[in-house]
Amino acid sequence: MAMEGYRGFLGLLVSALLVGFLSVIFVLIWVLHFREGLGWDGGALEFNWHPVLAVTGFVFIQGIAIIVYRLPWTWKCSKLLMKSIHAGLNAVAAILAIISVVAVFEYHNVRKIPHMYSLHSWVGLTALILYIQQLVVGFFVFLLPWAPLSLRAIIMPIHVYSGLLLFGTVIATVLMGVTEKLFFVLLSAYPMHAVLLEDRRGRKTHHSFPPEGVFTNTLGLLILVFGALIFWIVTRPQWKRPREPGSIPLQLNGGGNADGMEGAVAISSAHSMDPADAELSSEGAARKRTLGLADNGQRSTM
Amino acid sequence: MAMEGYRGFLGLLVSALLVGFLSVIFVLIWVLHFREGLGWDGGALEFNWHPVLAVTGFVFIQGIAIIVYRLPWTWKCSKLLMKSIHAGLNAVAAILAIISVVAVFEYHNVRKIPHMYSLHSWVGLTALILYIQQLVVGFFVFLLPWAPLSLRAIIMPIHVYSGLLLFGTVIATVLMGVTEKLFFVLLSAYPMHAVLLEDRRGRKTHHSFPPEGVFTNTLGLLILVFGALIFWIVTRPQWKRPREPGSIPLQLNGGGNADGMEGAVAISSAHSMDPADAELSSEGAARKRTLGLADNGQRSTM
């Protein structure tokens, strides 16, 4: 299906994928080269799964899940299939995020380190709980066919907003985590960096940019750029999945009728189609009744 | 002028203001009660201006600047006036942010601490430079009357995207800064917290939540909630400043014609009005030519 500004989209998509892959490579190099490596021993090797799984699942896979509806070569696929892929990727991201948190809790237990004392942990665990809630709500309201269209119309804007907010919060959490971990390890690994702390207390000085610090800062920047690219791709209205029926005969996506039409028409067309595919037009209908043309505004962040 | 869901808007606005004020109060209590206080002595007192000005200017004032077009009681004011307020608030935020960075650099110079070694500093300075660039571009393209409407139509979506991205990045930077500063100070102030670090290296343990840690973590959460409220308010299409001409007779805002009309019409109406107020309809026109109804999608994040 034709897409407007297809080259621009492709360029940004490839950039996002590259930067995302690079972030995963960087976090792997971090734990394998600069740190102790990976393992499930209740020690440092186990802790190191935390950054790896957080960046791979909670940042990279979540980012891809967010833009999956935007891939033009999926526009011929049924909406139900795309929803399943969207939900599936988010589920994988959630599972990896949960394992990454388990790794830290086990590590803390073995080392008898108190849990949840850092801002990173407060924000991170809150984000994970809300992310799982978002996944469950999305599954029952949008993927299962039983939710009334009116409910979908109410939940969709919240779903879109929460999704983007959680993605941004997760990235902020990762940046805090990188900051935190770097301080811990550099204090033990680089005495001259510890002297930086003493400087804060006015003692003698040392100028040093430990290579690991520069490396992890670069990782942080890569994750930030990845987030910025996903945010741009997902907020371009011209790159939204179109509402026209796809080329698959069995797909009954009447959403195309909702655009720029009376709410009543959209609703009636909505009732005549597969409920699993209908929330867009019912959304359009509901919002047209209340917001005039604002429908596009909402979908622009889908 | 009537606004849809006015009560909901008012509730969220009041919440945002309260949480924003509370964040400023919290950062003041932090530096005045838990830290050494404020001053311009090249020491800790000067450093403490950094968090205070960053939270007050770069987070709170920037947040208000983002939603200023959404205040319904300003809809009767001219677009030019509102743009000036938007630009003015962002300028104040930028100035406070610059002073907050100067405070740190001076502090580092006096203490001979190396500059720019942390991820917080890398992201923060990048965000500040891009924020100033955004301010300058916005001033010349949107506030001054000379920019051609076609240029405004091209820049506006980038301006809106960059504004929200920078706001989110600044909040992430503040969370990193809180994390970082807390580690520095707790290491010197709370030996038992320093033992936390040793735990990481497998030494004997200590369970402790220093009050300052809990307090600054709460500050971090407040800033995050403030950002979430601003993000919700600014992305609700139904709360956009309407395009109808305001009640001030001298205001020539023909933008109202742009909505749901042919681009040509919007363009012609745009040319007949105060250029400073015209970009919305020209925007609408430009985007309608290219994106169909996507116009609303764009404005939904304005």
Side-chain angles (χ1 to χ4, degrees):
Chain A
M1 194 176 290
M3 174 194 233
E4 239 213 78
Y6 179 69
R7 282 156 163 270
F9 174 84
L10 216 59
L12 284 160
L13 179 67
V14 170
S15 313
L17 289 171
L18 278 177
V19 174
F21 275 127
L22 210 56
S23 307
V24 173
I25 301 296
F26 262 59
V27 73
L28 281 169
I29 294 174
W30 184 22
V31 298
L32 295 174
H33 171 68
F34 289 97
R35 303 278 94 232
E36 308 81 0
L38 293 166
W40 205 265
D41 60 347
L45 296 171
E46 181 169 337
F47 174 89
N48 291 344
W49 278 110
H50 180 67
V52 170
L53 295 176
V55 171
T56 308
F58 222 7
V59 175
F60 184 60
I61 296 176
Q62 182 184 180
I64 303 306
I66 286 173
I67 58 165
V68 81
Y69 292 107
R70 305 248 154 181
L71 307 174
W73 44 88
T74 69
W75 290 350
K76 61 182 184 326
C77 306
S78 80
K79 193 72 200 295
L80 188 59
L81 171 64
M82 293 318 294
K83 287 179 183 182
S84 311
I85 293 171
H86 177 72
L89 286 171
N90 279 300
V92 171
I95 290 162
L96 294 181
I98 291 166
I99 299 170
S100 79
V101 170
V102 170
V104 174
F105 273 80
E106 282 197 16
Y107 173 78
H108 279 212
N109 285 334
V110 171
R111 296 285 180 96
K112 298 200 177 49
I113 302 169
H115 299 291
M116 305 296 301
Y117 58 83
S118 70
L119 180 57
H120 166 77
S121 64
W122 289 23
V123 176
L125 195 64
T126 309
L128 179 56
I129 290 163
L130 293 175
Y131 187 74
I132 292 165
Q133 177 195 296
Q134 166 96 329
L135 197 62
V136 172
V137 171
F139 177 78
F140 283 105
V141 173
F142 298 115
L143 197 58
L144 296 186
W146 306 312
L149 302 176
S150 56
L151 179 66
R152 293 182 169 187
I154 294 164
I155 301 292
M156 180 52 82
I158 300 166
H159 181 79
V160 169
Y161 163 83
S162 308
L164 286 180
L165 182 65
L166 284 170
F167 183 59
T169 305
V170 165
I171 287 176
T173 308
V174 168
L175 298 185
M176 279 189 280
V178 168
T179 300
E180 198 175 301
K181 180 66 181 175
L182 198 66
F183 274 66
F184 279 128
V185 301
L186 291 184
L187 286 169
S188 49
Y190 296 87
M192 76 288 213
H193 190 87
V195 176
L196 275 181
L197 298 179
E198 285 163 12
D199 285 340
R200 296 258 169 174
R201 285 174 260 144
R203 311 240 188 95
K204 73 179 253 292
T205 177
H206 242 293
H207 289 253
S208 66
F209 285 75
E212 181 172 5
V214 175
F215 187 83
T216 52
N217 288 1
T218 311
L219 167 63
L221 291 185
L222 285 171
I223 288 165
L224 207 53
V225 171
F226 176 73
L229 290 165
I230 296 295
F231 185 49
W232 174 265
I233 290 170
V234 84
T235 51
R236 294 314 92 194
Q238 68 271 35
W239 291 341
K240 284 180 304 202
R241 177 186 168 97
R243 292 185 181 154
E244 292 71 44
S247 58
I248 294 169
L250 283 179
Q251 186 197 12
L252 297 160
N253 186 346
N257 304 334
D259 228 331
M261 274 201 172
E262 295 306 318
V265 176
I267 277 290
S268 63
S269 74
H271 284 314
S272 69
M273 66 173 113
D274 171 4
D277 291 345
E279 95 287 357
L280 286 189
S281 51
S282 74
E283 230 192 349
R287 243 189 278 87
K288 281 201 180 48
R289 279 194 306 279
T290 52
L291 318 177
L293 281 166
D295 175 43
N296 277 284
Q298 213 44 269
R299 290 193 69 242
S300 72
T301 48
M302 278 177 70
Chain B
M1 192 175 292
M3 175 196 234
E4 243 213 72
Y6 179 69
R7 279 155 166 272
F9 173 83
L10 216 59
L12 283 160
L13 178 67
V14 170
S15 313
L17 289 171
L18 279 176
V19 175
F21 275 125
L22 210 56
S23 308
V24 173
I25 302 297
F26 262 59
V27 73
L28 281 169
I29 293 174
W30 183 24
V31 298
L32 295 174
H33 172 68
F34 290 97
R35 303 277 95 233
E36 308 80 359
L38 293 166
W40 204 265
D41 61 346
L45 297 170
E46 181 168 337
F47 175 90
N48 291 345
W49 278 110
H50 179 66
V52 169
L53 295 176
V55 171
T56 309
F58 221 7
V59 174
F60 183 60
I61 296 176
Q62 182 184 179
I64 303 304
I66 286 173
I67 59 163
V68 81
Y69 292 106
R70 304 248 155 180
L71 308 174
W73 43 89
T74 69
W75 290 351
K76 61 183 188 321
C77 306
S78 81
K79 193 72 200 291
L80 187 59
L81 172 65
M82 294 318 295
K83 286 180 184 182
S84 311
I85 293 171
H86 178 71
L89 286 169
N90 279 300
V92 171
I95 290 162
L96 294 180
I98 290 166
I99 299 171
S100 78
V101 171
V102 169
V104 174
F105 273 80
E106 282 197 17
Y107 173 78
H108 279 210
N109 284 333
V110 171
R111 298 284 179 93
K112 299 200 177 48
I113 301 169
H115 298 291
M116 304 297 300
Y117 58 85
S118 69
L119 180 56
H120 166 78
S121 65
W122 288 24
V123 175
L125 195 63
T126 309
L128 179 56
I129 290 164
L130 293 176
Y131 187 74
I132 293 165
Q133 177 195 295
Q134 167 96 328
L135 197 62
V136 172
V137 170
F139 178 77
F140 283 104
V141 172
F142 298 115
L143 197 58
L144 295 185
W146 305 312
L149 302 179
S150 56
L151 179 66
R152 293 183 170 188
I154 295 164
I155 300 293
M156 180 52 82
I158 300 165
H159 181 79
V160 169
Y161 163 82
S162 310
L164 287 180
L165 181 65
L166 284 170
F167 182 59
T169 305
V170 165
I171 287 177
T173 308
V174 169
L175 300 185
M176 279 190 281
V178 168
T179 301
E180 197 176 303
K181 180 65 180 175
L182 199 66
F183 273 64
F184 279 129
V185 298
L186 292 184
L187 284 170
S188 50
Y190 297 87
M192 77 288 217
H193 189 87
V195 175
L196 276 182
L197 298 179
E198 285 162 13
D199 285 339
R200 295 259 171 174
R201 286 173 260 145
R203 309 241 190 93
K204 73 178 250 293
T205 177
H206 241 296
H207 290 252
S208 67
F209 286 73
E212 182 172 5
V214 175
F215 187 83
T216 52
N217 288 2
T218 311
L219 168 62
L221 292 185
L222 284 171
I223 288 165
L224 208 53
V225 171
F226 176 72
L229 289 165
I230 296 295
F231 184 50
W232 174 265
I233 290 170
V234 84
T235 50
R236 295 313 92 196
Q238 68 270 35
W239 292 341
K240 284 179 305 198
R241 177 186 167 99
R243 292 184 178 154
E244 292 73 45
S247 59
I248 294 168
L250 283 179
Q251 185 197 14
L252 299 159
N253 187 347
N257 304 333
D259 230 331
M261 274 200 172
E262 294 306 319
V265 177
I267 277 290
S268 64
S269 75
H271 284 315
S272 68
M273 67 173 106
D274 172 2
D277 291 345
E279 96 288 357
L280 285 190
S281 51
S282 72
E283 231 194 354
R287 245 185 279 90
K288 281 202 182 44
R289 280 193 306 277
T290 54
L291 317 177
L293 280 166
D295 175 44
N296 278 284
Q298 211 45 267
R299 293 191 69 242
S300 73
T301 49
M302 277 178 70

